[in-house]
């Protein structure tokens, strides 16, 4: 029964959610698929503008050639509103200087600027008369948001990937509502998570044994101290694990040995010991014979004796005892880390030190009870002194939890329903079980899992807009800036109607940006916008780049996130992303960059010693994620700049075009550089139509190798970075590329705004959003293009505060009756 009711709470909401969702974009006219922003039409035809389109554009974009899958034969330059989607595409390409393409005649730049300015003025004027803020009916918590919400609510850290499926990424982000489809499997995942998380938070004296396995990356360096593990250890793993009850647990450690059958190399100079510790206290010390082996080629496993552990979150570490202060002698491998064989990724390597493959925690056995954990103390805000006090105390607990979880004040009917769940659980197992059952119901509720955004009741504003409700705006603010639940202050302000006051909204924005939780702008928004997740897909060739390993890759990612957050915190500008002469790094990363004088694991601000590494174009994260394992890729780097920074991605290559790897690697007995192979590849006219845009950008960064270190030679030949941007601007190295990009501030600022707004709204940016994008970018420009100004202007914009008037608004009575 305790599982059935939460299931019904979540499942009953699905039909109504689907019913309110619109699959068609707003303002789609059914007459031939033409989009209209409004009824605006120009008074007369602009002959000069029309001549420019006919002379320079239609020769490629016509019904016969359809380059770019677009025809401009019928495009009316005097009335761009009649085909706003096409007009917006033209604006983006013209502002970036990509059209007309290189190699063909181009009109004078002043004519292009005047033409695109007229298009923008017409579209923005029409939008002002007939605004369209867009809308979405709901958005569900994704993995990252769910884990953050659980932490805010219960104070425990969970791995949401253990319960929820992979997120679908759209427009570069994992929080886009349009692709957050619902299914029976997904709903079951949320229900399972609700059950498991409530047990972890409050414990379960009836828990049956289970196992959880934590893997160590095969690319992890095994000689360095692992953060969280006791000092005096090296390698291994350290994790936070939530123990569900007081009892006995075992810890199984699995190691990988080389193919000869020896445990960790025939030349290992000594045996090893591995320590298992809980919260820094040793609970087991396991000797490892360097000749250990077994028939199973999968590796060696050792299991501890049962160890008594109390319920709650504990840090568990399994690390090798450090036996020498100097470098460990390793005659088997020329590399600094564990992955050292020529298979590069198929095994854990031949090395003089062992490699922990994974750690499994199993239990509980012989359960003795449940220790009061920090999560238990957070939930149990009162304790009944007698059975008669239990219902009142339970009601206070449930109301407080539901208010925070639902991100708004809860109604009496909602509390009654949750108290009913408490009563069911209490009848089965007493007060604590009753509260746990009610908590499970809260976590299974659609009001927790989904973010509903209702419009304020009343008459619609001009253009059919209504403000979203204050409680919806509070959630939108919190998930935008913090990536998590709104705090009590924001809930209270929303409940009092304070967010209807623009000055109060801006005061809350300033407060939230100053809060450490605003670092989610770096870990969530910037990391996805800059595609830092792709860093996990690149594992540089261990023989060519032996000093690259898992910890260094994590440092690279952390550098870029810390750099972005530093700009937000210190009121930096958008241009600082490209020009800053400093970054944030620790000793490991500074050593990789060749920067002296940095010691320790802690990140700190460090000035660059060379101008070439200024801004994110010199970050190891960006340079590595845009490379292949065994070579740099000017194509990937150029494509990244065009897509991520400029918002003008090149078209995908035709299916019959050979890969660069098909190009000969050597000629006349000499290995070709990446640039030389690329020039041979692009000699194909079909290839050249795209490569002339992409390649010069990537070639300007060729002095950076696969892992982001500076080089002057490639395969023994001096690196050559000289090239020409598609608009004719000469390029020779990263400094010239930065300057060329900065000469197009509209392109960079509008693309940044588009990405920031998409993340903030949780939906794709459509053609009808572009007037608002231009308005935000312009206002931020008037404030020096500060990142904080972009944030403030996005919050002020109509798409963030408003919704279409046709969004269904449920009255409180209806909501109560539906429970």
């Amino acid at each position: 029964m305790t599982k059935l009711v939460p299931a019904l709470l979540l499942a009953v909401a699905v039909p109504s959610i689907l019913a309110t969702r619109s699959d068609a974009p707003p303002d789609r006219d059914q007459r031939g698929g033409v989009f209209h922003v409004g009824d605006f039409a120009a008074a007369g035809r602009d002959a000069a503008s029309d001549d420019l389109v006919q002379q320079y554009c239609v020769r490629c974009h016509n019904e016969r050639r359809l380059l770019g899958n677009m025809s401009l034969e019928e495009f009316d330059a005097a009335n761009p509103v009649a085909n706003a989607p096409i007009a917006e595409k033209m604006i983006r390409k013209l502002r970036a200087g990509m059209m007309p393409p290189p190699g063909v005649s181009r009109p004078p730049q002043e004519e292009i600027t005047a033409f695109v300015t007229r298009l923008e003025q017409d579209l923005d004027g029409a939008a002002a008369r007939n605004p369209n803020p867009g809308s979405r009916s709901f958005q569900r918590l994704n993995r990252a948001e769910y884990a953050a919400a659980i932490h805010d609510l219960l104070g425990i850290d969970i791995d949401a990937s253990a319960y929820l499926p992979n997120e679908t990424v759209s427009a570069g982000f994992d929080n886009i509502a349009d692709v957050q489809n619902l299914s029976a499997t997904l709903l079951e995942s949320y229900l399972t998570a609700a059950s498991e998380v409530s047990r972890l938070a409050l414990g379960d004296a009836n828990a049956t044994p289970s196992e959880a396995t934590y893997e160590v990356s095969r690319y992890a360096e095994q000689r360095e101290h692992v953060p969280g593990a006791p000092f005096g250890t090296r390698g291994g793993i350290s994790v936070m694990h939530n123990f569900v009850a007081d009892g006995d647990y075992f810890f199984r450690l699995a190691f990988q040995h080389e193919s000869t059958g020896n445990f960790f190399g025939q030349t290992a100079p000594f045996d090893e010991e591995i320590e298992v510790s809980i919260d820094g206290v040793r609970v087991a010390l396991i000797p490892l014979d360097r000749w250990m082996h077994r028939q199973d080629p999968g590796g060696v496993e050792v299991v501890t004796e049962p160890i008594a552990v109390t319920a709650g979150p504990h840090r568990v570490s399994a690390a090798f005892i450090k036996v020498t202060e100097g470098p460990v002698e390793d005659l088997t491998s020329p590399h600094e880390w564990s992955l050292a064989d020529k298979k590069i990724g198929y095994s854990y390597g031949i090395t003089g030190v062992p490699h922990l493959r994974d750690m499994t925690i199993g239990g509980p056995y012989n359960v003795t009870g449940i220790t009061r954990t920090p999560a238990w103390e957070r939930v149990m805000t009162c304790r009944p002194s007698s059975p008669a006090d239990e219902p009142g105390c339970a009601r206070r607990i449930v109301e407080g939890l539901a208010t925070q979880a639902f991100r708004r004040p809860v109604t009496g009917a909602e509390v009654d329903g949750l108290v009913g769940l408490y009563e069911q659980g209490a009848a089965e197992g007493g007060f604590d079980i009753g509260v746990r059952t009610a908590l499970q119901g809260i976590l299974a509720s659609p009001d927790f899992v989904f973010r509903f955004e209702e419009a304020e009741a009343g008459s619609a504003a001009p253009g059919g807009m209504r403000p979203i409700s204050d409680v919806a705006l509070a959630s939108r603010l919190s998930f935008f800036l913090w990536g998590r639940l709104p705090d009590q202050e924001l809930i209270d302000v929303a409940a009092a109607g304070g967010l209807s006051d623009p000055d109060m909204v801006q005061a809350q924005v300033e407060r939230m940006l100053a809060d450490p939780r605003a670092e989610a702008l770096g870990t969530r928004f910037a990391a996805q916008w800059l595609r830092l997740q792709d860093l996990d897909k690149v594992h540089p060739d261990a023989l060519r780049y032996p000093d690259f390993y898992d910890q260094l890759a994590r440092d690279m990612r952390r550098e870029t996130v810390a750099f972005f957050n530093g700009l937000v915190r210190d009121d930096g500008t958008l241009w600082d992303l490209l020009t800053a002469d400093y970054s944030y790094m620790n000793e490991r990363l500074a050593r990789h960059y060749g920067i002296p004088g940095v010691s320790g694991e802690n990140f700190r601000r460090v000035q660059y010693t060379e101008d070439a590494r200024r801004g994110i174009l010199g970050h190891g994260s960006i340079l590595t994620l845009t490379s292949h394992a065994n070579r740099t890729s000017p194509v990937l780097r150029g494509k990244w700049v065009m897509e991520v920074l400029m918002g003008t991605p090149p078209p995908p290559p035709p299916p019959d075009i050979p890969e660069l790897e098909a190009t000969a690697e050597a000629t006349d007995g000499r290995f070709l550089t990446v640039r030389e192979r690329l020039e041979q590849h692009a000699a194909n006219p079909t290839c050249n139509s795209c490569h002339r845009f992409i390649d010069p950008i990537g070639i300007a960064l060729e002095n950076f190798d696969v892992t982001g270190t500076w080089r002057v030679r490639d395969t023994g030949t001096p690196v050559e970075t000289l090239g020409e941007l598609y608009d004719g601007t000469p390029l020779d190295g990263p400094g010239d590329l930065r300057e060329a990009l900065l000469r197009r501030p509209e392109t960079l600022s509008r693309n940044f705004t588009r990405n920031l707004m998409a993340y903030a709204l949780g939906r794709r940016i459509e053609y009808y959003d572009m007037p608002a994008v231009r308005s935000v970018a312009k206002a931020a420009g008037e404030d020096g293009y500060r990142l904080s100004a972009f944030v403030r202007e996005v919050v002020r914009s109509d798409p963030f505060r408003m919704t279409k008037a046709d969004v269904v608004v449920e009255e409180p009575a209806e909501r109560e009756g539906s429970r």
Side-chain angles (χ1 to χ4, degrees), residues 8 44-45 65 107 161 222 235 324 353 359 367 463-464 519 523 597 623 704 721 760-761 779 790:
L8 292 175
R45 187 179 182 85
R65 301 187 67 185
S161 65
Q222 288 290 292
T324 177
V353 294
M359 174 179 68
V367 175
E519 291 185 355
T523 57
L623 296 163
F704 295 110
T721 61
L761 300 178
F790 283 96

Side-chain angles (χ1 to χ4, degrees), residues 322-601:
K322 192 173 183 179
V323 295
T324 177
E325 291 300 322
V328 178
E329 182 182 5
D330 186 355
L331 302 179
T332 311
S333 168
H335 304 305
E336 290 188 0
W337 57 295
S338 60
L339 178 61
D341 69 325
K342 295 182 180 180
K343 295 179 181 179
I344 307 177
Y346 287 90
S347 76
Y348 283 77
I350 304 171
T351 178
V353 294
H355 189 122
L356 180 65
R357 188 179 67 195
D358 57 60
M359 174 179 68
T360 298
I361 302 174
Y365 298 91
N366 304 319
V367 175
T368 58
I370 302 174
T371 296
R372 293 186 177 182
T373 66
W376 189 96
E377 298 287 354
R378 178 181 293 216
V379 171
M380 298 296 186
T381 53
C382 64
R383 292 297 293 172
S385 58
S386 67
D389 294 334
E390 291 182 355
C393 178
R395 190 176 188 89
R396 290 194 296 274
I397 292 174
V398 166
E399 184 172 6
L401 287 172
T403 297
Q404 187 178 5
F406 298 169
R407 307 171 287 277
R408 58 173 173 78
V410 291
T411 65
E414 290 172 320
V415 176
D416 290 342
L418 294 170
V419 169
L421 293 179
Y422 156 79
E423 292 171 348
Q424 294 180 36
E428 295 179 9
F431 181 82
D432 287 10
I433 300 299
V435 172
R436 194 181 78 194
T437 305
L439 173 61
Q440 181 180 347
I442 290 171
L443 299 182
S445 170
D447 288 288
F448 174 68
V449 173
F450 299 104
R451 291 168 51 196
F452 301 104
E453 293 189 342
E454 299 171 350
E456 293 285 5
S459 59
M465 296 193 302
R466 284 198 183 106
I468 62 174
S469 67
D470 278 31
V471 293
L473 184 57
S475 282
R476 185 171 278 199
L477 278 171
S478 186
F479 282 98
F480 172 30
L481 301 181
W482 290 348
R484 58 201 323 129
L485 300 177
D487 62 1
Q488 193 60 49
E489 178 176 338
L490 195 55
I491 292 175
D492 291 342
V493 170
L499 295 184
S500 298
D501 180 359
D503 292 337
M504 178 59 75
V505 172
Q506 292 306 309
Q508 288 297 315
V509 169
E510 297 296 337
R511 177 183 72 87
M512 296 173 73
L513 285 177
D515 191 284
R517 284 171 286 190
E519 291 185 355
L521 284 171
T523 57
R524 293 280 297 135
F525 163 69
Q528 294 187 81
W529 169 47
L530 299 175
R531 310 296 189 261
L532 297 188
Q533 65 271 15
D534 291 347
L535 188 59
D536 298 333
K537 304 174 184 177
V538 182
H539 302 292
D541 187 321
L543 297 178
R544 300 188 186 190
Y545 307 99
D547 298 335
F548 187 92
Y549 48 93
D550 192 64
Q551 290 95 322
L552 180 62
R554 292 201 299 267
D555 289 344
M556 288 178 173
R557 181 187 179 103
R558 184 176 174 184
E559 175 196 16
T560 305
V561 169
F563 176 68
F564 184 88
N565 281 330
L567 292 180
V568 175
R569 181 181 60 251
D570 300 334
D571 217 14
T573 72
L574 179 62
W575 314 139
D576 290 333
L577 278 172
L578 294 173
T579 64
D581 62 352
Y582 64 88
S583 189
Y584 296 81
M585 59 192 74
N586 60 4
E587 180 181 359
R588 185 187 299 113
L589 189 58
R591 183 173 64 244
H592 184 73
Y593 289 159
I595 299 176
V598 181
S599 300
E601 280 289 321

Side-chain angles (χ1 to χ4, degrees), residues 154 157 210 243 315 362 373 393 398 400 419 467 527 560-561 569 596 606 619 637 641 651 700 706 721 762:
L154 304 174
D157 295 314
S210 62
F243 293 84
R315 177 163 290 280
T373 66
C393 178
V398 166
V419 169
T560 305
V561 169
R569 181 181 60 251
V606 176
H619 281 207
R637 289 177 176 177
V641 170
V706 168
T721 61

Side-chain angles (χ1 to χ4, degrees), residues 227-258:
F231 289 107
T233 63
R234 62 163 182 82
I237 190 173
S238 182
V239 300
M240 289 298 297
H241 181 77
N242 292 297
F243 293 84
V244 72
D246 301 349
D248 294 336
Y249 295 82
F250 71 81
F251 301 84
R252 182 173 64 243
L253 309 178
F255 306 85
Q256 186 73 24
H257 62 66
E258 57 159 305

Side-chain angles (χ1 to χ4, degrees), residues 6 20 76 214 432 434 468 720 750 754:
T20 58
D76 185 357
Y214 298 92
D432 287 10
I468 62 174
E720 177 59 64
R750 292 175 184 178
R754 285 178 62 250

Side-chain angles (χ1 to χ4, degrees), residues 165-214:
N166 289 328
E167 302 294 342
T168 301
V169 175
S170 178
F173 300 103
D174 62 7
N175 67 338
I176 303 301
D178 294 348
V179 295
Q180 291 185 327
N181 296 323
L182 299 178
S183 67
T185 301
L186 179 64
L187 297 180
E188 184 64 30
S189 297
Y190 281 108
L191 295 174
T192 300
S195 175
E196 292 296 318
V197 169
S198 60
R199 290 172 64 249
L200 290 175
L202 299 182
D204 184 4
N206 298 317
T208 56
S210 62
E211 295 184 2
T213 299
Y214 298 92

Side-chain angles (χ1 to χ4, degrees), residues 699-721:
I699 287 173
L701 300 173
E702 268 295 278
N703 276 121
F704 295 110
D705 72 5
V706 168
T707 66
T709 59
W710 187 262
R711 64 178 181 177
V712 295
R713 290 182 176 273
D714 178 16
T715 66
T717 303
V719 172
E720 177 59 64
T721 61

